[in-house]
Amino acid sequence: IVINMKQSYYLEDALRYNNKIFLNTDILVKEPIEIGKNNIVIDGNGYTIEGLKITAAGNGSGLFGSCTLKAKNLTIKNVNIDKPSGNFVGALCGSLYGDIENVNVENVKINTGGISIRCGGIVGIHNGGNATNCTATNVEVTAYHNVGGISGTVNETNNRVYTDCVVKNGKFVATGNAPYAGAITGNANGVKLTLKGCSQENCVPEQL
């Protein structure tokens, strides 16, 4: 289905009944969008979703929370997630099963108060799938551990690949007693993760 309306509730309604979403406009959001189905493809068609703010949530905080989907050709910007009550936090998805391709985030600030784990600029915990041509620019993430620009943690399945992903102007702070922080990802947990052509510029991973 093609989304032509700027209001976020049109997108949320479409996600309840359709497996393929194609944006034909920018969208302004104020809160997370609930997905009622799995195995969704969201094609941003080069458009932007912006304005997400979260101040309280359970596990899996982000635009689409915890989900199984493929996202591509999408920009998400001006995101502020402040002190969520659970783990797994990212601008796109807190917990994701699926590929991301040409997904870009800009001006993202995630401050968990140093208590949440597995938090990233695009995805908190990337449970399955690869990342291709994704960027994170002007991103600041503070969490207990497993903190990164593209993802906080790459998890579960073997032989994962991040290709041509770029992180610029990032600050990634892990405050825990066993912290992991990195520009691309904070941790590859039990998986073989290959980075191809990935780079960072002006990023500061900190382990407090």
Side-chain angles (χ1 to χ4, degrees):
I1 188 171
V2 177
I3 304 297
N4 293 298
M5 307 299 288
K6 292 182 179 295
Q7 294 87 347
S8 61
Y9 59 80
Y10 287 103
L11 175 58
E12 184 168 4
D13 189 59
L15 285 166
R16 291 179 182 147
Y17 306 107
N18 299 275
N19 287 92
K20 293 184 178 180
I21 303 296
F22 188 83
L23 298 189
N24 203 31
T25 183
D26 295 331
I27 296 176
L28 180 65
V29 301
K30 296 181 179 179
E31 58 188 18
I33 293 175
E34 182 179 352
I35 294 181
K37 300 170 70 69
N38 286 325
N39 301 315
I40 290 173
V41 176
I42 298 176
D43 188 339
N45 191 28
Y47 287 99
T48 297
I49 297 176
E50 66 174 305
L52 176 67
K53 294 183 179 180
I54 299 176
T55 56
N59 287 340
S61 297
L63 177 63
F64 298 123
S66 297
C67 52
T68 301
L69 60 79
K70 177 179 181 178
K72 60 183 181 179
N73 308 322
L74 176 66
T75 295
I76 301 171
K77 67 180 184 179
N78 301 331
V79 174
N80 189 349
I81 302 177
D82 188 45
K83 295 182 175 64
S85 60
N87 301 313
F88 320 141
V89 184
L92 175 70
C93 296
S95 176
L96 173 66
Y97 289 85
D99 295 329
I100 49 175
E101 179 182 344
N102 298 322
V103 173
N104 309 297
V105 298
E106 303 174 12
N107 305 327
V108 174
K109 186 173 183 179
I110 298 172
N111 176 21
T112 72
I115 60 172
S116 300
I117 65 173
R118 298 176 177 175
C119 302
I122 300 179
V123 176
I125 180 169
H126 198 177
N127 287 302
N130 302 309
T132 305
N133 294 322
C134 295
T135 65
T137 305
N138 299 328
V139 174
E140 182 176 337
V141 184
T142 301
Y144 191 71
H145 65 67
N146 292 5
V147 183
I150 302 298
S151 62
T153 300
V154 180
N155 200 43
E156 291 193 3
T157 55
N158 291 324
N159 301 323
R160 307 277 293 287
V161 181
Y162 279 17
T163 304
D164 296 330
C165 294
V166 179
V167 181
K168 295 181 179 180
N169 303 326
K171 184 176 181 181
F172 310 104
V173 181
T175 64
N177 56 12
Y180 301 96
I184 302 297
T185 189
N187 186 25
N189 182 31
V191 305
K192 178 183 178 182
L193 173 63
T194 301
L195 302 181
K196 295 182 177 180
C198 296
S199 63
Q200 65 85 20
E201 179 180 328
N202 193 30
C203 291
V204 183
E206 295 184 8
Q207 299 174 332
L208 301 181

